[in-house]
Amino acid sequence: MRTPAGKECKYYYEDFHRGRSKQECRLLNASGEGSKWHPDDCSNCPVPEILLANACEHMELSARIVPGFIWIPRKVEVTAYCNEHDLDVQDPYVGCQHCGGRGAEILRAIQEGDL
Ligand code: SF4
Ligand SMILES: [Zn+2]
């Protein structure tokens, strides 16, 4: 679904049908921070770019709101975990190094007609 910031995000949900007015971030909901979320947070959130850069099905994202302070803007901070290899993912844009290796193998097999 397209966020208020105009980017696709699978965690964004809205419902304005039949008088309803519901907007939520289901990633922050899952992290227990849903009540802190505001639609403006989507404009300063890295998740849409992370999802574009790395669609690994084993990577699970978590997010929290980091409050702003004077000149430092409020932001959504994201961490990632690989459920397949049980490790913290250092760079969610790149993904788990083990899954990345296997993804490259699968891609090569598809290109070579083995899959
Ligand atoms: S805050 Fe980030 S993860 Fe949540 S709906 Fe907006 S763009 Fe998606
Ligand atoms: Zn992995």
Side-chain angles (χ1 to χ4, degrees):
M1 200 169 253
R2 194 172 291 268
T3 70
K7 295 178 180 173
E8 281 298 321
C9 179
K10 68 179 182 181
Y11 299 109
Y12 177 68
Y13 177 77
E14 68 177 24
D15 182 1
F16 293 115
H17 291 103
R18 299 183 186 220
R20 285 188 284 264
S21 179
K22 184 180 176 82
Q23 289 174 288
E24 60 187 31
C25 169
R26 292 184 166 174
L27 181 60
L28 283 159
N29 284 356
S31 303
E33 298 243 307
S35 62
K36 297 180 187 173
W37 178 81
H38 185 276
D40 288 347
D41 289 320
C42 294
S43 65
N44 200 14
C45 174
V47 169
E49 278 79 23
I50 290 172
L51 296 176
L52 272 179
N54 176 18
C56 179
E57 64 186 286
H58 302 302
M59 190 172 76
E60 185 176 317
L61 299 179
S62 301
R64 71 183 188 102
I65 298 283
V66 180
F69 180 70
I70 310 178
W71 63 88
I72 301 172
R74 169 187 167 107
K75 67 174 184 175
V76 180
E77 186 177 82
V78 177
T79 54
Y81 189 81
C82 176
N83 286 324
E84 176 75 359
H85 298 104
D86 289 326
L87 51 83
D88 292 323
V89 175
Q90 297 305 316
D91 185 346
Y93 291 91
V94 175
C96 162
Q97 65 191 78
H98 303 294
C99 286
R102 200 162 59 184
E105 279 173 31
I106 292 169
L107 185 63
R108 195 162 43 244
I110 291 170
Q111 287 168 342
E112 292 173 359
D114 294 339
L115 288 179

